């Protein structure tokens, strides 16, 4: 692998995906180079599975619209042998405790969410959130749809883990769309020609830049607290189902769509991970496979060329529409055998084979992370 403007770690990479990443890497403020993760695939503007360091500017679309999307996992004291009840009942309890699917929110702010709401109300960026998404308080503790999920999984020793994937919900999406539009207006006002309209950027020092940073940081915190709130409810569900309080023996909560100020190869940059996790040496992370496939708890190796990053999942091989045409419900049922799940045609576009093989992705990432635990699902809860 050579490092020029583009460092590629993907052995499965479509020509169109590479071309898209090269367009982003060609932006004059992308330095020292763009790193392409093993799960890279086409995205809107910037490639999903790319790590984009910028100096003096930032590309709002390089974070995606689900600002702060990421994973959370908790290892419990239970083993598989301890779970003697009907797992479909646990699936039903989790589905009832957490609003699923796009546009579905809580009826009111529950007790566990109240301090998290209060924290967000005190942060810079709250004015933008209240203006553009005044119902955000009811969104805290909701899952969403697509590839967002809640799972009960087992590791290599049959220990029970709780695992979930979600982000900043509707309010984060609206904040992102607002600032992507502002960036496009700013570039048009300056007569800047872009290789892709979604690579529009904000210039550091301008008021619009700092307004975006405030919104970004607020939404990233919302996303992390949203996962915490959902995990609390999942923990409560398992505790009630088992008749015994859950002990949190190990816990990881990490973003994979976000921007931070970091130093790489001697440069202080705005580092945007669009479908990638922090893999600095010793940092814990989570890499989920597709529905019905393995997931991983990992530890970063601090690989310099990857900008201390690693993949965030399997990465799509087929679009949602292509997956619906290609795969059958009978095949999905076979893949999900032995797992309590939603048993619905609505999840056909999430078929495991619509994604890259997770074992290939993990092999490509062997220099980026070490595997600490390997997880397999026994319960999968999704919104449709």
């Amino acid at each position: 692998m050579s490092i020029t403007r583009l460092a590629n770690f993907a052995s499965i990479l479509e020509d169109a995906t590479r071309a898209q990443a090269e367009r982003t890497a060609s932006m004059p403020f992308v330095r020292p180079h763009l790193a392409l993760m093993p799960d890279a695939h086409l995205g809107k503007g910037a490639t999903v599975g790319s790590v984009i360091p910028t100096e003096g500017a930032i590309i709002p679309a390089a974070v995606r619209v689900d600002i702060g999307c990421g994973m959370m996992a908790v290892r419990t004291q239970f083993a598989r042998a301890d779970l003697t009840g009907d797992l479909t009942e646990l699936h039903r309890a989790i589905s009832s405790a957490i609003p699923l699917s796009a546009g579905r929110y809580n009826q009111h702010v529950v007790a566990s969410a109240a301090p998290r709401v209060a924290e967000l109300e005190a942060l810079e960026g709250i004015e933008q959130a209240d203006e553009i998404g005044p119902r955000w308080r009811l969104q805290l503790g909701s899952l969403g749809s697509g590839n967002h999920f809640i799972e009960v999984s087992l590791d290599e020793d049959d220990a029970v883990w709780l695992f979930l994937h979600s982000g900043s919900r509707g309010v984060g999406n609206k904040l992102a769309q607002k600032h992507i539009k502002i960036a496009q207006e700013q570039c048009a006002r300056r007569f800047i020609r872009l290789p892709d309209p979604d690579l529009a950027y904000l210039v550091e020092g301008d008021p619009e830049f700092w307004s975006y940073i405030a919104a970004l940081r607020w939404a990233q915190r919302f996303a992390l607290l949203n996962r915490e709130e959902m995990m609390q409810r999942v923990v409560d569900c398992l505790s009630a189902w088992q008749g015994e309080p859950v002990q949190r023996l190990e816990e990881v909560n990490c973003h994979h769509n976000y921007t931070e100020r970091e130093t790489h190869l001697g440069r202080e940059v705005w580092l945007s991970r669009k479908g990638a996790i922090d893999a600095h040496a010793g940092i814990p992370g989570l890499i989920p496979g597709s529905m019905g496939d393995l997931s991983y708890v990992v530890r970063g190796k601090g690989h310099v060329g990857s900008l201390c990053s690693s993949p965030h999942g399997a990465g799509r091989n087929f679009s949602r529409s292509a997956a619906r045409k290609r795969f059958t419900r009978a095949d999905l049922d076979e893949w999900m055998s032995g797992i309590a799940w939603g048993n619905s045609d609505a999840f056909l576009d999430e078929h495991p084979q619509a994604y890259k093989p997770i074992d290939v992705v993990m092999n490509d990432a062997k220099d980026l992370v070490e595997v600490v635990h390997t997880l397999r699902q026994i319960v999968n809860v999704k919104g449709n």
Side-chain angles (χ1 to χ4, degrees), residues 174-200:
K174 289 180 178 179
L175 287 168
Q177 295 285 5
K178 168 189 172 181
H179 289 282
I180 289 170
K181 183 178 180 181
I182 290 171
Q184 291 171 339
E185 291 170 348
Q186 289 286 90
C187 287
R189 182 174 63 83
R190 290 172 167 142
F191 303 101
I192 295 169
R193 299 183 67 180
L194 299 164
D196 184 317
D198 284 309
L199 292 179

Side-chain angles (χ1 to χ4, degrees), residues 66 68-71 142-144 148-149 164-169 223 226-227 230:
D66 194 356
C69 188
M71 314 293 305
S142 63
L143 182 68
H148 292 170
F149 64 77
L164 59 82
H165 171 206
S166 192
S168 54
R169 304 293 288 109
N226 185 43
R227 292 192 292 272
M230 285 190 289

Side-chain angles (χ1 to χ4, degrees), residues 71-276:
M71 314 293 305
M72 186 173 183
V74 168
R75 180 168 65 91
T76 76
Q77 78 274 28
F78 299 120
R80 177 64 183 95
D82 298 322
L83 307 184
T84 57
D86 183 353
L87 290 175
T88 60
E89 293 180 3
L90 181 56
H91 182 285
R92 190 176 303 113
I94 294 170
S95 299
S96 298
I98 296 171
L100 311 175
S101 304
R104 293 195 59 194
Y105 309 134
N106 297 282
Q107 296 295 314
H108 59 275
V109 176
V110 302
S112 58
R116 297 183 173 104
V117 167
E119 178 183 337
L120 289 162
E121 288 174 334
L123 294 180
E124 184 182 7
I126 180 59
E127 297 84 1
Q128 294 186 62
D130 276 340
E131 179 182 359
I132 205 163
R135 289 171 57 83
W136 66 262
R137 292 165 183 81
L138 300 180
Q139 294 172 19
L140 188 76
S142 63
L143 182 68
S145 58
N147 61 0
H148 292 170
F149 64 77
I150 302 164
E151 292 179 339
V152 181
S153 298
L154 306 175
D155 69 13
E156 63 283 351
D157 296 321
D158 263 5
V160 175
W161 287 71
L162 305 175
F163 201 111
L164 59 82
H165 171 206
S166 192
S168 54
R169 304 293 288 109
V171 66
N173 186 299
K174 289 180 178 179
L175 287 168
Q177 295 285 5
K178 168 189 172 181
H179 289 282
I180 289 170
K181 183 178 180 181
I182 290 171
Q184 291 171 339
E185 291 170 348
Q186 289 286 90
C187 287
R189 182 174 63 83
R190 290 172 167 142
F191 303 101
I192 295 169
R193 299 183 67 180
L194 299 164
D196 184 317
D198 284 309
L199 292 179
Y201 57 90
L202 300 168
V203 177
E204 188 168 357
D206 287 352
E208 293 85 357
F209 179 96
W210 296 112
S211 177
Y212 174 61
I213 293 298
L216 177 79
R217 288 174 170 165
W218 187 92
Q220 287 176 181
R221 188 60 183 168
F222 177 99
L224 185 141
L225 294 175
N226 185 43
R227 292 192 292 272
E228 284 188 355
E229 173 62 23
M230 285 190 289
M231 183 59 77
Q232 181 60 60
R233 298 186 197 183
V234 177
V235 163
D236 290 346
C237 286
L238 181 58
S239 296
W241 193 72
Q242 282 291 99
E244 177 185 342
V246 167
Q247 299 173 29
R248 300 187 182 207
L249 303 182
E250 192 172 342
E251 189 168 321
V252 183
N253 193 347
C254 63
H255 295 320
H256 55 227
N257 291 338
Y258 71 111
T259 297
E260 288 289 353
R261 197 75 171 145
E262 295 185 9
T263 300
H264 294 276
L265 294 169
R267 295 176 179 269
E268 190 175 5
V269 299
W270 295 99
L271 193 77
S272 297
R273 293 185 173 97
K274 182 175 181 175

